[in-house]
Amino acid sequence: MKRRVIFWTLSIFTMFFIFLMSHRDATTSNSLSVPLVNLCGFLGLDVTSSNFDIIHTLIRKLGHISEFFFLDFCLYNGLICDFTFKKSVFLAFIISFLYAISDEFHQLFIPGRCGNITDVMIDSLGMLLFISILLIYKNIIKSR
């Protein structure tokens, strides 16, 4: 019971965080990842003007992947208390996927932002990455 409450609470907070990040106008949203690009330069990556946009885009897309990886992780752990493994994996993916679609729809109403099916696919990569790691982990435990 306690586990279910913790992971459903984390799921809701993650959805709220994603909503807040998507609710920022384009200029503010873009400026949030600039410090991470600068950190890449500090760590030795070539962050010249020609590479800046590439690194900036990669960081933003990795943000999409990590947000939805974590959301799928939290949803799965909340659902596994009540459902079978397969059903929990499936439901967590469907809820995350529908939330990704709603997030892009939400961005249609934010100045300078646009809903983008490509971002839904990138979000789905995070979900699929979680499922892949979960399946690998489950198979390793079964083989022991």
Side-chain angles (χ1 to χ4, degrees), residues 16-30:
F16 185 67
F17 175 78
I18 292 168
F19 177 85
L20 288 178
M21 296 303 284
S22 293
H23 200 68
R24 298 170 188 263
D25 64 76
T27 304
T28 305
S29 177
N30 281 328

Side-chain angles (χ1 to χ4, degrees), residues 55-68 122:
I55 294 171
H56 187 253
T57 300
L58 282 173
I59 287 172
R60 292 181 59 80
K61 299 312 173 188
L62 284 172
H64 279 264
I65 291 169
S66 60
E67 287 171 343
F68 281 89
I122 292 169

Side-chain angles (χ1 to χ4, degrees), residues 4-143:
R4 178 187 311 130
V5 171
I6 289 169
F7 282 106
W8 277 109
T9 302
L10 283 171
S11 297
I12 291 166
F13 279 127
T14 303
M15 288 176 171
F16 185 67
F17 175 78
I18 292 168
F19 177 85
L20 288 178
M21 296 303 284
S22 293
H23 200 68
R24 298 170 188 263
D25 64 76
T27 304
T28 305
S29 177
N30 281 328
S31 69
L32 291 174
S33 47
V34 170
L36 291 173
V37 176
N38 293 333
L39 178 64
C40 289
F42 179 76
L43 295 173
L45 283 174
D46 179 21
V47 186
T48 56
S49 59
S50 60
N51 292 339
F52 183 89
D53 288 339
I54 295 168
I55 294 171
H56 187 253
T57 300
L58 282 173
I59 287 172
R60 292 181 59 80
K61 299 312 173 188
L62 284 172
H64 279 264
I65 291 169
S66 60
E67 287 171 343
F68 281 89
F69 177 99
F70 188 70
L71 177 59
D72 207 44
F73 166 80
C74 292
L75 288 168
Y76 164 78
N77 280 287
L79 289 163
I80 195 67
C81 299
D82 298 315
F83 298 102
T84 64
F85 173 77
K86 286 181 182 179
K87 195 166 190 175
S88 297
V89 169
F90 178 75
L91 287 173
F93 179 83
I94 292 299
I95 294 167
S96 296
F97 184 75
L98 291 174
Y99 193 73
I101 292 170
S102 72
D103 179 53
E104 293 305 314
F105 180 73
H106 165 238
Q107 288 182 36
L108 293 172
F109 304 99
I110 307 302
R113 305 287 297 263
C114 62
N116 192 338
I117 193 70
T118 305
D119 282 346
V120 173
M121 290 188 279
I122 292 169
D123 298 339
S124 297
L125 283 176
M127 300 170 222
L128 293 172
L129 180 62
F130 167 70
I131 292 168
S132 299
I133 291 170
L134 182 64
L135 291 172
I136 290 167
Y137 177 75
K138 187 172 169 53
N139 287 331
I140 288 172
I141 288 177
K142 272 188 173 179
S143 67

